[in-house]
Amino acid sequence: MDFINNLLYNSVYNAAPILLCVLGGIFAYKANVLNIALEGLMLAGAFVSMLVAYLTHNLFLGILSAIVVCLLLGLVFSVMSVTYKGNVIVVGLAINMLVPAVADFVLKLMKSSNINLTWANVNDFKINIPFIEDIPILGSILSGHPPITYIAFLMIIVMAVLMYRTKFGVYVRVVGENDDAARSLGLKSNQYKYIAILIGAFCCALAGINLSMERLAVFTNDMTAGRGFIAIAAIYCGRGAPGPSAVYAIAFGVASALATQLTVSAGSAAALLDVIPYVIMGVVLTVVSITKRRKVKVRGF
Amino acid sequence: MSIIRTVDLTKKFDEFVANDHINLSVEPQEIKCIVGENGAGKSTLMNMLYGTLIPTSGSILIDEQPVKFKSPIDAMNHGIGMVHQHFKLVPSLTVYENILLGTEITKKGLPLIDSGEEIRRVQGIIDEYHFQLKPTDRVEDLSVGQCQQVEILKMLYRNVRILILDEPSAVLTPQEVDRLIENLKDLRKNGKTIIVITHKLREVMELSDSVTVIRQGKVIGTVMTKDTNEQELAQMMVGRDVVLTVSNEGGMPSSDEVAYRVEDLHTINAHGAEVVSGVSFEVKKGEVFGIAGVEGNGQSELVKLLTGLMTTTKGRVYLEGRDITNLWPDQLRKAGIGIIPEDRYGQGLCQSMSIPDNCIAGYWYDKEVCQYGVLKKKSILQRAREYIQKYDIRVASEQGYVSELSGGNAQKIIIAREFESHPRLIIACQPTRGVDVGSIEFIHKQLLRFRNEGYSVLLISSELSEIMSLSDRVAVMYKGKIIGEVDPKTISTSEIGLLMAGATSQRNEVPV
């Protein structure tokens, strides 16, 4: 029973950062911009929040500066890919490589392998929801998470409303689907692409803060461990629709939790079990592609 | 007083003068047609009136006031709306969302869209102009004719006074064209001024009050419709007498021997929907077999199946008794099929390669031009030279790029390449789309010459007049099926139009 309970709690816990990346990334996807910089942006959020909090002893400043830095990186990505029509893969890769390099450099200067907020207690970040925490089983799964985890799940609804019920959401979809139609009516399509990318950057900042500060109060380099790319996969599998994309993100959370749980009882083979989520995602992607491709009768040359 | 007038409007693209001192004047509440061949400069002119192109010199006056348009928004603010040939609609959105795009109505005090109110307003405007649309339908589910209505409504909702339509009838069935003409005349009654760009002279005669003819970027003349006729307009357009339709009459009768047989062909598209469902027909030797139909009824997929770009789910294809189902394009060419594809630059030519390279594209297995995997540049150039002479292809340089050629000359390269490989059957799909009148005549003559030599042609075209004048027999495709076979010499346009719209005609249907 404990095993299941822990598994489900950890599923929620592990799904949160990917979920945030996915929900932020769907706007760029719908605006027809491939944002492969999600990974780098998330790592930037994790790194900057911890570095600033470490230097200033102020959590709030850490969070704020992480968001600002991520938005700036998002802006760089937008300027280079949207305004100057640079190749998104190259620009995105540059950000993905730049961020860990800078983090590595700073860690070397600090003569440390990680940034550790010794004065902060992660248990203080956890919020217990009244009433819900008293429900047996469900309470222990849903309650007792840090704030951004809750935000991540609330975002599913917020982003769905933003995408389907507001002008902004309609315009982003129009820009992505038929840029000509948007321009013929005077919609500034680049402007919507910028905002779509910046929403992604903002959500990545939150995901990064969640990953390093909220959950562990520790930053180690490369701690994002490919979650940004998993998020891209989830967005593609869900075709950018908030609901289905979120389901894929949560599926990955479950897989991660499973890996963690099995590791506890596995002993020396533990390290090998870390591959579980990636294998599962690979299999899911392959199956999704095969089912989509099976019906295609047009020949590929 | 003119509602819109241009004075010496000129547009240059580098050295090329697309519009040369155009003086055009449109009266309020008239329907003005602007006719000219492809490349005559009609679209350039309209794009300047709509603000998508900025004139090099000259001026535009609206209500005798000079205006300067920097973008379509400026034009729209002056009451000018445009319905483009390629619709600017978003397929995944609904009719009402498309019409209100950019001017959404939000709930009071909330940033949320008020769909209820939007639907009501759109229904109102649909009723006001007697259009047949449902506001909540998705655009991707609409017919082309309905999409066009959405485009027109989009403009009307924005209160335009002057409506410009670019080639509005290009993709419609004859019935839909009639409906469009009615709609436009209704709009004129309601006080709108309409400018239509077209090269279909029959519609010009039915629709317009006055006609302006453009040739090579210059205004050739403006005439009142009631004082002119199709022949005169055609002459003004081309600058010489033209045979309006090349006809296959008087040629050798086709034999009874079957050259090409298609049996119960099926395939599905990427969404799993059956787009070709049970197509069967035979093409005899010395015959042009035409397939007519409104675009999007499975013709494209059928052609892809027959030319090896797509695979079947069921059915067989035979060329002179040999099973050639699902062969690849190179194998089909070796088997004796010439292919003139639908998308000239997508499947027929490679624009970034030279003319000689394009002249052997698809035929590199020919030992004369390629041996041991090495291309023989000299004989390839020699071949290109022959084609250029024999098919009167106008090129600046023999070794130039295909991208430098006009549509007609580019198409002639395909024609030359496919005919000179001496096939037994030519599959010609939209062979004259976007081609000037002179080249159309040439291509039609080539197809008929080929037929009269005893070979077969499978002609797929959405240009009804082309199908009717060239074919010995015509099948009509509707929703992936052949719903009737007719004799083009006896059937009327309205009868075939009904078939194209899906109504099976009693008299001409051939029992299947």
Side-chain angles (χ1 to χ4, degrees), chain B residues 323-335:
Chain B
D323 189 343
I324 55 162
T325 320
N326 287 339
L327 290 189
W328 289 72
D330 58 330
Q331 296 167 317
L332 289 174
R333 285 197 160 102
K334 279 182 195 163

Side-chain angles (χ1 to χ4, degrees), chain A residues 165 171 177-178 186 297 299, chain B residues 89 92 104 113 309 311 326:
Chain A
R165 311 285 313 166
Y171 294 168
E177 206 176 317
N178 190 345
K297 290 285 167 189
R299 273 179 170 153
Chain B
L89 296 175
S92 72
E104 282 81 359
I113 291 172
L309 298 175
T311 54
N326 287 339

Side-chain angles (χ1 to χ4, degrees), chain A residues 161 164-167 170-171 173-174 177-178 180-187 292 295-301, chain B residues 73 76 88-93 101-102 104 111-113 115 158 267-269 308-311 313 326-328:
Chain A
V161 170
Y164 292 113
R165 311 285 313 166
T166 66
K167 282 190 189 191
V170 174
Y171 294 168
R173 285 183 289 144
V174 170
E177 206 176 317
N178 190 345
D180 264 0
R183 263 176 290 174
S184 75
L185 292 169
L187 300 178
K292 275 185 199 162
K295 285 179 187 160
V296 175
K297 290 285 167 189
V298 177
R299 273 179 170 153
F301 286 89
Chain B
I73 304 309
M76 227 179 273
K88 312 241 177 212
L89 296 175
V90 187
S92 72
L93 299 187
L101 195 57
E104 282 81 359
L112 302 181
I113 291 172
S115 345
R158 285 164 177 76
T267 198
I268 53 174
N269 67 7
L309 298 175
M310 227 173 147
T311 54
T313 49
N326 287 339
L327 290 189
W328 289 72

Side-chain angles (χ1 to χ4, degrees), chain B residues 114-351:
Chain B
D114 188 350
S115 345
E117 176 63 19
E118 289 198 339
I119 293 169
R120 263 195 301 284
R121 289 220 195 161
V122 168
Q123 188 65 56
I125 192 171
I126 288 173
D127 295 342
E128 186 185 339
Y129 291 101
H130 314 293
F131 280 41
Q132 283 154 350
L133 286 169
K134 212 168 143 231
T136 48
D137 280 346
R138 271 182 205 288
V139 165
E140 59 197 353
D141 300 328
L142 298 185
S143 71
V144 190
Q146 287 173 309
C147 285
Q148 191 171 53
Q149 295 190 351
V150 176
E151 279 282 21
I152 295 173
L153 282 176
K154 204 160 97 181
M155 293 302 137
L156 294 177
Y157 183 81
R158 285 164 177 76
N159 279 322
V160 300
R161 293 181 296 150
I162 305 162
L163 194 62
I164 305 173
L165 296 104
D166 187 4
E167 301 280 0
S169 63
V171 287
L172 304 182
T173 62
Q175 275 79 7
E176 281 175 320
V177 173
D178 290 343
R179 169 126 201 95
L180 173 73
I181 291 177
E182 242 172 74
N183 278 339
L184 293 179
K185 286 184 171 168
D186 260 2
L187 289 176
R188 178 182 55 184
K189 246 183 256 163
N190 283 334
K192 310 282 183 198
T193 305
I194 294 158
I195 304 175
V196 179
I197 306 171
T198 182
H199 62 255
K200 294 195 179 166
L201 299 176
R202 182 181 72 84
E203 286 149 29
V204 173
M205 298 306 295
E206 272 182 51
L207 177 67
S208 65
D209 300 310
S210 71
V211 191
T212 296
V213 182
I214 294 183
R215 186 170 80 223
Q216 290 172 348
K218 293 190 180 83
V219 171
I220 296 301
T222 297
V223 288
M224 299 308 286
T225 310
K226 58 180 184 334
D227 303 331
T228 185
N229 57 47
E230 286 184 45
Q231 201 62 40
E232 190 190 21
L233 287 175
Q235 208 179 332
M236 284 167 81
M237 262 167 72
V238 190
R240 62 182 169 88
D241 286 324
V242 275
V243 188
L244 266 185
T245 45
V246 177
S247 164
N248 76 348
E249 269 168 54
M252 204 180 72
S254 29
S255 80
D256 285 336
E257 216 178 320
V258 174
Y260 188 65
R261 190 150 53 90
V262 172
E263 269 177 16
D264 195 28
L265 220 51
H266 290 258
T267 198
I268 53 174
N269 67 7
H271 307 296
E274 202 165 61
V275 282
V276 174
S277 46
V279 168
S280 306
F281 59 85
E282 287 175 349
V283 186
K284 308 224 164 68
K285 287 193 174 158
E287 178 185 57
V288 177
F289 185 78
I291 295 183
V294 179
E295 267 179 75
N297 275 298
Q299 300 97 312
S300 290
E301 287 82 3
L302 178 64
V303 170
K304 286 201 173 101
L305 284 176
L306 300 180
T307 57
L309 298 175
M310 227 173 147
T311 54
T312 58
T313 49
K314 200 181 156 202
R316 307 234 68 91
V317 183
Y318 301 92
L319 179 69
E320 291 171 347
R322 182 185 158 204
D323 189 343
I324 55 162
T325 320
N326 287 339
L327 290 189
W328 289 72
D330 58 330
Q331 296 167 317
L332 289 174
R333 285 197 160 102
K334 279 182 195 163
I337 292 183
I339 302 169
I340 302 171
E342 177 175 19
D343 180 355
R344 188 175 312 140
Y345 299 111
Q347 294 137 16
L349 296 166
C350 177
Q351 276 182 291

Side-chain angles (χ1 to χ4, degrees), chain A residues 20-145:
Chain A
L20 274 168
C21 271
V22 165
L23 292 170
I26 52 177
F27 285 92
Y29 174 86
K30 285 287 189 189
N32 204 12
V33 183
L34 173 63
N35 187 356
I36 66 154
L38 293 177
E39 175 84 3
L41 290 168
M42 182 165 33
L43 190 65
F47 171 62
V48 173
S49 63
M50 286 299 286
L51 182 69
V52 174
Y54 177 80
L55 295 176
T56 61
H57 276 249
N58 186 330
L59 291 175
F60 177 73
L61 265 184
I63 292 170
L64 192 69
S65 46
I67 292 173
V68 170
V69 167
C70 282
L71 288 179
L72 282 176
L73 282 174
L75 202 59
V76 169
F77 181 83
S78 308
V79 171
M80 289 166 83
S81 63
V82 178
T83 306
Y84 293 108
K85 308 269 182 278
N87 185 314
V88 282
I89 304 286
V90 176
V91 179
L93 264 182
I95 291 177
N96 286 341
M97 286 155 78
L98 176 75
V99 174
V102 171
D104 203 34
F105 175 68
V106 174
L107 286 174
K108 286 237 165 74
L109 282 185
M110 292 167 71
K111 296 195 172 61
S112 167
S113 62
N114 57 41
I115 304 175
N116 198 338
L117 298 184
T118 44
W119 45 270
N121 181 0
V122 283
N123 280 328
D124 293 344
F125 298 143
K126 291 186 178 166
I127 300 174
N128 289 317
I129 313 171
F131 306 119
I132 289 184
E133 66 173 326
D134 300 329
I135 304 171
I137 306 171
L138 206 61
S140 60
I141 297 165
L142 295 184
S143 184
H145 289 285

